[in-house]
């Protein structure tokens, strides 16, 4: 009888430890925690190019759509379209913040050209136009 009780306790402890491990390593939970703390977190499944990635940065959630095509001699993500989940939350973010997000995407997808949807697209174009005029 006591051997059966020990086996049951061992199984219960194993299940408890496994559950705690799965909870601690859950990427979705890490994304939610980083979003609440207004920290940076990149949530992606690089093996599934059809699945969009999420980035949280300074309390704003961004979604990136990946597009695959031929780059050099293999299929790679060559285009990423970024979009904030809630545009009203981007207040206070500047050009440098969006450049930082672009660089983080480029680290993971080196062949990708990053495009932004409105209203960030207009900000990026306006700033790049000003920089081009200033350097001439």
């Amino acid at each position: 009888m006591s051997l059966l009780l020990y086996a049951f306790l061992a199984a219960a402890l194993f299940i408890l430890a496994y559950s705690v491990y799965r909870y601690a390593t859950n990427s979705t939970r890490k994304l939610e925690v980083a979003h609440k703390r207004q920290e940076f977190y990149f949530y992606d499944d690089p093996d599934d190019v059809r699945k969009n990635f999420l980035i949280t940065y300074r309390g704003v959630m961004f979604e990136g759509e990946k597009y695959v095509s031929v780059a050099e001699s293999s299929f790679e993500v060559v285009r990423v379209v970024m979009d904030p989940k809630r545009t009203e939350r981007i207040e206070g973010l500047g050009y440098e913040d969006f450049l930082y997000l672009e660089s983080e995407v480029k680290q993971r997808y080196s062949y990708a050209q990053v495009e932004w949807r409105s209203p960030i697209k207009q900000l990026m174009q306006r700033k790049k136009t000003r920089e081009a005029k200033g350097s001439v």
Side-chain angles (χ1 to χ4, degrees):
M1 181 68 175
S2 67
L3 185 60
L4 185 60
L5 182 62
Y6 284 128
F8 178 74
L9 280 173
L13 284 175
F14 176 77
I15 291 171
L16 180 65
Y18 180 74
S19 298
V20 168
Y21 170 77
R22 293 287 296 171
Y23 177 78
T25 60
N26 186 330
S27 296
T28 307
R29 184 190 64 80
K30 289 180 182 180
L31 177 71
E32 291 171 6
V33 169
H35 185 66
K36 287 179 185 175
R37 292 182 181 170
Q38 298 190 357
E39 297 173 344
F40 175 82
Y41 189 78
F42 197 105
Y43 175 72
D44 185 25
D45 182 2
D47 297 329
D48 189 356
V49 293
R50 290 174 286 152
K51 192 173 183 182
N52 295 348
F53 61 80
L54 296 171
I55 298 175
T56 182
Y57 177 71
R58 294 182 59 186
V60 182
M61 187 76 66
F62 295 92
E63 183 173 17
E65 295 178 41
K66 301 181 269 188
Y67 295 92
V68 176
S69 187
V70 177
E72 293 183 13
S73 61
S74 64
F75 287 96
E76 300 286 343
V77 174
V78 294
R79 185 171 155 236
V80 171
V81 178
M82 297 285 294
D83 188 29
K85 287 275 199 179
R86 296 175 55 195
T87 54
E88 69 273 9
R89 308 269 330 253
I90 63 174
E91 184 178 351
L93 293 180
Y95 179 73
E96 292 78 20
D97 295 315
F98 299 116
L99 285 180
Y100 171 74
L101 292 172
E102 283 184 9
S103 71
E104 290 293 328
V105 171
K106 287 261 192 198
Q107 283 182 356
R108 289 155 178 87
Y109 300 105
S110 58
Y111 293 102
Q113 175 187 358
V114 179
E115 298 175 16
W116 293 93
R117 290 208 173 111
S118 294
I120 300 167
K121 181 178 182 178
Q122 284 82 8
L123 170 74
M124 300 299 280
Q125 287 175 341
R126 197 174 313 133
K127 187 70 172 180
K128 287 178 183 175
T129 303
R130 285 184 190 156
E131 286 179 354
K133 285 181 183 178
S135 65
V136 174

